[in-house]
Amino acid sequence: MDDATDDTALFTIEGHTGVITLNRPRALNALTHPMVLRIAGALAAWEREPAVTQVLLRGAGERGLCAGGDIRAIHHDAKTGGNASIGFWRDEYRLNARIAAYPKPYVALMDGIVMGGGVGLSAHGAVRVVTERSRVAMPETGIGFVPDVGGTHLLARAPGRLGTHLALTGAAVGAADALLCGLADHFVPADLLPELTADLAGAPAARVLPRYAGHTPPPGELAAHRAWIDHCYAAETVEEIVERLLAVGEPAAKESAETILAKSPTSLKVTLEAVRRARELGTLERVLEQEFRVSSHMLRAPDLVEGIRAQVVDKDRTPRWRPATLGEVDRAEVTRHFDAPAEGQEPIFPTAGPRA
């Protein structure tokens, strides 16, 4: 299960709790393929171990649980025409499904930054704890990608059109809004996390959490904006959504429109389609299969390489999207992303493939 030479993820048993610590604090605990495999191995071992009655996920350092996947590695893979990312996503998405179906309580401490792959490791768990420092987001449209790791499944189930708003803008939300959107279950002040962790070593989460979760999170923002969010994001296309946002007369809506227009036009249109299809697919496994197909196609698209270059590699924040405008994105190009993966890219869950 464990490679003693690899300390990017640490596995300990404290009392009756199996503890996973993501241990790349200088990289905001960004997730690598070896980390995914080792976490999956630990969960498999602890599932068979009677002495382990629950699992706790946390991140090293104080900046966040996990900022997502190692997108520099994905950038190199996409730029060189490699296939390593395909294997990474397959194993990562399988891990997301394992977490969602885990037979023992899986407690995720979503403290600090929790984005992309970090959401996949935490928000599918049975017990999800946020703090006043939490910033939860699926920001993929800003790098020419799409929400994955079951993110479209989670966002499709958010109240009203809140999930569509978060998917297109990539906006990060705090504790109150994460609770509102169904991305978390409990608020616990950050300074109580060490005590909470210690108590979980000696008692079940169901007994421990009520002693900590009676606090009120700082006020959120989304509830006050529900009227214009639900109206604007119900529009049929991304172009119409932007038009409504600009016409509604709310400064926050105008800001959202400007944010959307800075993202990859192709990613925006594929993301809107993905969230809407996810509502109809039902199970997480079926949505992950859809995300796998979309991710596999996005790996070969120019916007992923360009988006990561602009945001992470060169950091000039001026991506040159192709095509450059929403109107230039062909409908057939959007639907192509939902086609089956190429030959040799077998489904993640053979029994959960696309509907006939």
Side-chain angles (χ1 to χ4, degrees):
M1 178 193 76
D2 203 0
D3 179 356
T5 66
D6 185 352
D7 64 356
T8 57
L10 306 176
F11 306 93
T12 57
I13 297 177
E14 301 179 12
H16 291 285
T17 301
V19 180
I20 302 169
T21 304
L22 306 181
N23 192 39
R24 300 183 68 209
R26 292 181 63 184
L28 272 171
N29 299 317
L31 196 60
T32 66
H33 199 170
M35 290 168 71
V36 165
L37 296 175
R38 295 177 70 232
I39 293 168
L43 291 179
W46 289 340
E47 185 174 339
R48 300 187 298 266
E49 175 52 65
V52 174
T53 59
Q54 60 191 5
V55 171
L56 176 69
L57 174 74
R58 63 188 179 186
E62 296 187 351
R63 296 170 62 200
L65 172 67
C66 176
D70 187 345
I71 58 176
R72 284 182 179 270
I74 294 172
H75 178 261
H76 174 77
D77 195 39
K79 191 173 181 179
T80 59
N83 281 308
S85 298
I86 301 295
F88 169 61
W89 289 326
R90 182 184 293 111
D91 289 329
E92 184 183 23
Y93 300 173
R94 284 173 176 161
L95 176 59
N96 301 145
R98 176 185 280 275
I99 289 168
Y102 203 64
K104 300 178 180 182
Y106 181 100
V107 183
L109 302 184
M110 301 172 68
D111 184 35
I113 292 174
V114 186
M115 296 185 177
V119 173
L121 287 183
S122 58
H124 298 301
V127 183
R128 306 163 300 174
V129 177
V130 284
T131 76
E132 72 278 7
R133 303 187 300 200
S134 296
R135 301 299 293 166
V136 184
M138 296 298 296
E140 287 79 6
T141 54
I143 59 166
F145 197 50
V146 290
D148 65 337
V149 297
T152 59
H153 176 76
L154 294 165
L155 295 174
R157 298 164 68 191
R161 305 290 175 169
L162 294 178
T164 305
H165 168 68
L166 296 182
L168 294 182
T169 63
V173 298
D177 288 333
L179 293 165
L180 172 64
C181 292
L183 300 173
D185 308 299
H186 306 283
F187 170 76
V188 175
D191 61 0
L192 295 181
L193 292 184
E195 186 179 342
L196 168 63
T197 300
D199 282 355
L200 285 170
R207 189 187 309 165
V208 171
L209 259 299
R211 301 203 297 267
Y212 292 89
H215 302 270
T216 301
E221 300 176 4
L222 293 180
H225 298 317
R226 274 293 302 276
W228 64 259
I229 286 176
D230 287 351
H231 165 70
C232 295
Y233 290 93
E236 186 66 24
T237 67
V238 180
E239 292 95 325
E240 291 169 323
I241 288 172
V242 170
E243 288 174 5
R244 290 190 184 187
L245 289 169
L246 292 172
V248 77
E250 291 280 350
K254 180 176 183 291
E255 183 179 342
S256 294
E258 293 169 349
T259 296
I260 289 171
L261 290 173
K263 311 297 185 184
S264 158
T266 301
S267 295
L268 289 167
K269 292 205 167 187
V270 175
T271 293
L272 182 62
E273 182 78 10
V275 171
R276 291 179 172 172
R277 290 191 184 208
R279 290 196 188 108
E280 308 300 322
L281 287 175
T283 68
L284 173 61
E285 287 82 3
R286 292 182 72 140
V287 176
L288 286 166
E289 287 284 0
Q290 172 176 278
E291 291 178 351
F292 182 62
R293 294 194 296 275
V294 172
S295 298
S296 299
H297 287 292
M298 295 297 287
L299 184 66
R300 306 303 178 206
D303 279 2
L304 179 59
V305 172
E306 174 61 11
I308 298 175
R309 180 207 64 77
Q311 300 297 337
V312 179
V313 179
D314 296 338
K315 299 184 180 179
D316 57 30
R317 308 290 192 265
T318 55
R320 295 178 289 275
W321 305 123
R322 290 189 289 161
T325 67
L326 290 166
E328 294 176 274
V329 180
D330 184 68
R331 173 65 187 172
E333 175 65 13
V334 174
T335 58
R336 183 184 68 82
H337 287 77
F338 297 86
D339 293 342
E343 184 178 353
Q345 297 173 9
E346 72 275 7
I348 314 169
F349 313 103
T351 60
R355 288 185 290 185

